[in-house]
Amino acid sequence: MGLGNAYYFLGQYEQAREYYQQSLAIFKEIGDKPGEAKALFNVDLCFKKVQ
């Protein structure tokens, strides 16, 4: 999620969303529920910024 955060704070929300979605896939694969929640929250933030 670090790269996603960097892009988010640079205002590059689409790129940030891509990294957050990659993080989400990894968290799901390893069964990290808190990580999934954080990644989903961050994906949602990006969608709200783009709209």
Side-chain angles (χ1 to χ4, degrees), residues 8 13 20 39-50:
Y8 182 86
Y13 305 116
Y20 290 143
L40 284 169
F41 178 79
N42 288 332
V43 168
D44 183 56
L45 286 178
C46 290
F47 277 122
K48 289 179 181 177
K49 288 287 188 179
V50 173

Side-chain angles (χ1 to χ4, degrees), residues 6-41:
Y7 280 107
Y8 182 86
F9 288 112
L10 289 172
Q12 297 179 13
Y13 305 116
E14 289 294 328
Q15 188 68 35
R17 183 182 52 82
E18 289 178 25
Y19 281 106
Y20 290 143
Q21 287 180 321
Q22 289 177 16
S23 297
L24 177 60
I26 293 167
F27 288 134
K28 283 184 176 183
E29 186 176 322
I30 64 173
D32 183 343
K33 296 296 183 185
E36 284 183 49
K38 290 176 190 176
L40 284 169
F41 178 79

